[in-house]
Amino acid sequence: MGWLWTLIVGAIIGLIAGAITNKGGSMGWIANIVAGLVGAAIGQGLLGSWGPSLAGMALVPSIIGAVIVVAVVSFFLGRSKS
């Protein structure tokens, strides 16, 4: 049950990051989950574990990390399509 909760929170973090960067409409649920989980790891690695925490992820650094992941991935994917 812990993994399911982690995936749900990761999807929500990825969805928030997609909404902040205006790239959420083009991302699917799997991409949101991956962006949320990878962003959480990067955000907590760079910024530490401060602020409110849910499912073992500090929300503020996780969202910041997910925004970075979504921005970088959309930059490279958008660039290769041109």
Side-chain angles (χ1 to χ4, degrees), residues 30-45:
I30 295 175
N32 279 333
I33 293 171
V34 170
L37 295 176
V38 171
I42 291 173
Q44 290 182 44

Side-chain angles (χ1 to χ4, degrees), residues 42-56:
I42 291 173
Q44 290 182 44
L46 293 175
L47 302 172
S49 295
W50 52 273
S53 180
L54 191 60

Side-chain angles (χ1 to χ4, degrees), residues 18-34:
I20 290 172
T21 60
N22 291 326
K23 304 291 183 194
S26 62
M27 294 173 52
W29 281 103
I30 295 175
N32 279 333
I33 293 171
V34 170

